[in-house]
Amino acid sequence: MTRPPRTLVLPPRLTASARTLRAAALRRGLRIVEATASAAPEGLGGPGRAGWPEGAGPIASTAGTGSAGTGSTGSAESTGGDGHAVHLHAGPSFADIAAPALGIALLEAPADWLARLPRALTRREIRAMPIDEAYRLRRPAFVKSPNDKSISALVYADGSRLPGPDAVDPATVVLVSDVMTFAVEYRLHLLDGAVHAAGRYAESGRLRLGPADGDALAFGREVLAAAGTTLPSAIVVDVGRDDEGRWAVIEANAAWASGCYSADPDRALDTVLRAAGPATDLSPHDRGFVR
């Protein structure tokens, strides 16, 4: 019996990385469904609903199976209705709408993962705290949201420069770290406890794509040896080297929302499919890392 193709759902606006992953998915024979709206319609079902209400979902038909222009089209509900797996690659805003309705489990690192790493892996002090506490900072610090972009990742002169309580819930958790400058930065796509794909994405703070060198891969393996069990089976971790030659973890990102940059797109796609797939396929380990 022929197994039905898997589906990869994409958001309305595609980044360069999303287009690269779409091409890789088509080569593999996945069915591609691109959204035509970024918000769920009124009447979207509550928890436990397996799909969009009939004729009302924000996802519409686009691409086919095998290669561009050769497959059938249909709604997200119809593509997921024959029992095959549905996956997702999108930013957090769209993913938070689409994933529950499609039965997709989104894997991500714990909000305080970076703050709990040994100092030997971060080379700087990092704390996870409510933004209400961060308002009291009286020194420059790098502040960001742990798993989305609700708080812009920037160096803030002090806590008064952060978005105020009129714009952000005071209980919102942020990561506050010492300022560290990286000479070169790499993105590592981790899968099943190994560095599955990798590439350079920046030098001296500027986008500069290229291959990952051996030292970056070796540091990735060091991170996995020390903290691999504290991550889901599929995740992206950015690492970097400063001007003094010290290696450090920059941050962890959800693979389903991360660009592949210069990494092998076929191998990067492997991490995306695992990081955002059917909730019914979750391993016992990954159940503790669902967004």
Side-chain angles (χ1 to χ4, degrees):
M1 180 177 178
T2 303
R3 185 179 181 180
R6 291 183 289 178
T7 292
L8 179 64
V9 176
L10 297 171
R13 297 180 181 178
L14 301 186
T15 63
S17 285
R19 290 191 290 272
T20 298
L21 290 173
R22 178 180 62 181
L26 286 170
R27 287 194 300 271
R28 193 177 297 191
L30 272 70
R31 181 181 298 171
I32 304 299
V33 176
E34 294 178 24
T36 58
S38 58
E42 294 183 7
L44 185 66
R49 183 179 288 273
W52 303 104
E54 184 175 357
I59 297 177
S61 64
T62 72
T65 304
S67 61
T70 62
S72 62
T73 61
S75 70
E77 186 176 20
S78 65
T79 58
D82 53 8
H84 70 267
V86 180
H87 303 266
L88 176 73
H89 175 67
S93 296
F94 179 78
D96 286 341
I97 294 170
L102 297 173
I104 293 172
L106 303 172
L107 301 182
E108 64 182 12
D112 63 347
W113 180 78
L114 193 63
R116 290 191 288 108
L117 286 180
R119 185 70 173 262
L121 295 179
T122 63
R123 302 291 183 176
R124 62 204 190 277
E125 182 183 15
I126 305 172
R127 296 173 60 199
M129 64 180 70
I131 196 169
D132 189 46
E133 181 179 342
Y135 290 146
R136 297 194 287 272
L137 288 170
R138 292 299 177 260
R139 59 176 175 82
F142 182 80
V143 183
K144 69 181 292 289
S145 298
N147 285 313
D148 57 40
K149 300 184 185 300
S150 59
I151 305 298
S152 297
L154 296 170
V155 175
Y156 293 86
D158 57 48
S160 69
R161 306 301 179 91
L162 290 164
D166 58 330
V168 181
D169 184 336
T172 299
V173 174
V174 294
L175 293 174
V176 177
S177 77
D178 293 337
V179 178
M180 184 173 182
T181 302
F182 293 94
V184 61
E185 301 171 49
Y186 299 88
R187 173 152 292 178
L188 310 180
H189 301 257
L190 309 181
L191 183 66
D192 290 331
V195 179
H196 193 67
R200 185 188 68 219
Y201 66 87
E203 285 186 343
S204 301
R206 296 184 177 182
L207 183 68
R208 188 174 178 85
L209 304 183
D213 66 21
D215 289 341
L217 299 176
F219 183 66
R221 291 190 290 270
E222 182 181 340
V223 173
L224 282 167
T229 59
T230 63
L231 289 168
S233 67
I235 194 75
V236 163
V237 171
D238 293 343
V239 302
R241 175 177 50 79
D242 69 6
D243 288 326
E244 298 177 18
R246 302 180 304 167
W247 284 92
V249 175
I250 299 172
E251 62 182 356
N253 292 294
W256 45 266
S258 297
C260 60
Y261 292 123
S262 58
D264 181 329
D266 292 296
R267 295 178 71 82
L269 178 62
D270 291 336
T271 65
V272 171
L273 298 180
R274 176 73 66 77
T280 54
D281 290 350
L282 282 174
S283 69
H285 173 77
D286 280 341
R287 287 173 191 152
F289 298 96
V290 176
R291 180 176 174 86

